[in-house]
Amino acid sequence: MTSSSRRGLPHLAAAVDLPGEYDVGAHVELIRLAERGGLDFVTLADTSAGAGPGPGVGPGAGVGPGPGLDAVAVLSRAVAATRRVGLVPMVTGPHAGSADGEAAVAHLDRVSRGRAGRRIDVSGGEPSGLAALTGPSPQGHTVRVADATDGPARLAAARYADVVLARVTSRAQARSVRDQLRADAAESGREPDSLRVLAALSIDLGDGEHAAEPGHGGGGPRRSARGPLYRGGPVDLADLIASWHRDGAVDGFHLIPVEPRRDLERLVNGTVALLQHRGLFRTFYPGGTLREHLGLARPVGQIAGGRT
């Protein structure tokens, strides 16, 4: 078993999606809250039609030419309101991997001074857009984030991603996925420690300080229509995070609030505050880039697949 002191502290990220809301200011407030908690990064799903920045960059608006939210535009607006937290637009559909899409993320990385990450689609194996991802960046190259829940995607994620998100419902499953990803990374010529594996978990903290429901808490989340779901209080969530990380099952968590405003506030002021009190999570950002938050070395002469 690997101790937390030898492995460092867990990495925590949160989704700041507000379904059905397109106001930039509301999203920026959630991002600022995440930064107050010292989270490594936030993610924001792109629900635009893939048309790129448009009216969504204007005051109080988050929509482009079509319906939906332009995640890059919203996160670009958050740059001036924050100083440290990482910013990861989760772009899917026709805009993902396109030249315009990669240029927009590269711009976000530059204006944020190296705080941007980029979702890469590994569901079909080789991801697109990697040439752009290795271009000039204040952090060497933009941090690459991949969803590797499905087995076939894991090999590609192990080769190309810096951060892997995996939906798992038990500590044993999480450890198995992490071990396999690290083994695949080594097989592809990468240093396994250059990969961060985060368990993706929806959280419902509406029960306040009450104990986690059966099947939640230290025993792990349970399956739901939303994917793995924790429902309980901030204290039991802190115990889950600490124990999974201490046992080497994960490098951290990507947490998706069921009720964004309520649950993110309780995550930061409850769960994170408790972890900080126990010395199990950072109380300040030691660096300025997302790569530094994640404890990842700046790549030197590295190409997309991990070899130089």
Side-chain angles (χ1 to χ4, degrees):
M1 183 182 298
T2 306
S3 71
S4 293
S5 60
R6 291 178 57 192
R7 296 182 56 227
L9 302 177
H11 300 284
L12 295 180
V16 292
D17 303 290
L18 289 166
E21 293 194 33
Y22 306 119
D23 177 61
V24 169
H27 288 85
V28 170
E29 282 306 307
L30 289 183
I31 296 167
R32 293 179 63 190
L33 175 59
E35 182 172 74
R36 287 199 293 273
L39 272 60
D40 292 63
F41 63 90
V42 298
T43 61
L44 181 61
D46 186 281
T47 58
S48 68
V57 299
V63 294
L69 192 79
D70 186 325
V72 177
V74 173
L75 294 176
S76 294
R77 288 282 303 278
V79 169
T82 57
R83 298 183 60 190
R84 290 288 188 268
V85 68
L87 307 167
V88 182
M90 304 295 275
V91 181
T92 59
H95 206 44
S98 69
D100 288 346
E102 298 302 340
V105 175
H107 177 72
L108 174 63
D109 197 41
R110 289 193 296 272
V111 299
S112 67
R113 299 184 179 181
R115 291 194 278 141
R118 179 71 163 95
R119 176 190 179 274
I120 59 172
D121 183 4
V122 294
S123 59
E126 298 293 310
S128 60
L130 284 178
L133 288 171
T134 58
S137 163
Q139 54 182 329
H141 67 61
T142 307
V143 170
R144 301 171 298 218
V145 181
D147 182 340
T149 295
D150 296 329
R154 290 177 191 162
L155 181 58
R159 293 183 63 192
Y160 297 107
D162 299 302
V163 177
V164 176
L165 311 180
R167 295 186 293 275
V168 292
T169 54
S170 72
R171 188 186 332 222
Q173 183 189 13
R175 184 185 296 110
S176 176
V177 169
R178 180 175 183 268
D179 289 348
Q180 185 60 57
L181 284 162
R182 288 173 58 85
D184 289 341
E187 181 66 22
S188 69
R190 291 185 63 185
E191 168 54 54
D193 287 339
S194 69
L195 187 65
R196 299 288 178 265
V197 181
L198 308 187
L201 179 65
S202 293
I203 56 170
D204 180 350
L205 302 180
D207 290 334
E209 294 303 325
H210 295 294
E213 291 188 359
H216 295 257
R222 65 181 179 186
R223 293 180 178 87
S224 76
R226 307 178 64 98
L229 171 67
Y230 166 91
R231 179 178 289 123
V235 173
D236 282 340
L237 179 59
D239 292 341
L240 185 153
I241 290 169
S243 64
W244 282 30
H245 181 263
R246 181 186 63 242
D247 292 350
V250 296
D251 296 305
F253 287 81
H254 176 242
L255 302 168
I256 306 101
V258 170
E259 293 289 341
R261 292 181 176 88
R262 178 199 69 192
D263 293 334
L264 187 60
E265 186 277 329
R266 292 180 180 179
L267 171 67
V268 169
N269 295 325
T271 300
V272 171
L274 181 57
L275 290 170
Q276 291 170 332
H277 178 72
R278 295 175 178 175
L280 299 178
F281 193 65
R282 69 164 68 91
T283 56
F284 65 94
Y285 290 99
T289 70
L290 177 52
R291 191 166 290 280
E292 288 173 319
H293 302 344
L294 293 165
L296 297 172
R298 180 187 178 95
V300 179
Q302 187 178 37
I303 64 175
R307 290 183 168 86
T308 55

